[in-house]
Amino acid sequence: MKDLITVLAKALVDHPEDVVVSEAEEKDEIVYRLSVHPSDMGKVIGKQGRIAKALRTVVTSAAVKHNKRVSVEIVS
């Protein structure tokens, strides 16, 4: 899952070397925190959050195959 988020995020940004994905276990789900270069924040979020929503949908769909609950947070 972490690799999937990393690959998708690096394809979207201008500074792929600054993409960092961390993983944390919280209650009954896994939380992935995506950190990007400040100038790339808009590219990852997209207009009205469309890119962020699509990223979360892809990751959630992939997690269903593994019977896990996941969420993706975008942090600066």
Side-chain angles (χ1 to χ4, degrees):
M1 223 46 73
K2 189 174 180 180
D3 294 333
L4 175 64
I5 297 169
T6 304
V7 168
L8 292 172
K10 284 185 176 186
L12 294 169
V13 299
D14 289 334
H15 301 93
E17 66 278 356
D18 291 339
V19 172
V20 177
V21 179
S22 61
E23 182 178 344
E25 190 90 25
E26 293 183 7
K27 296 184 183 177
D28 60 342
E29 72 177 349
I30 301 170
V31 178
Y32 293 97
R33 289 184 177 85
L34 171 62
S35 176
V36 296
H37 191 274
S39 66
D40 290 328
M41 193 63 94
K43 292 180 182 179
V44 174
I45 295 172
K47 289 186 179 179
Q48 298 179 353
R50 289 185 184 141
I51 303 293
K53 184 177 179 182
L55 179 68
R56 289 181 178 118
T57 301
V58 169
V59 172
T60 303
S61 298
V64 169
K65 290 183 179 181
H66 301 290
N67 294 325
K68 298 191 179 197
R69 291 189 57 209
V70 300
S71 64
V72 178
E73 294 178 0
I74 301 170
V75 295
S76 57

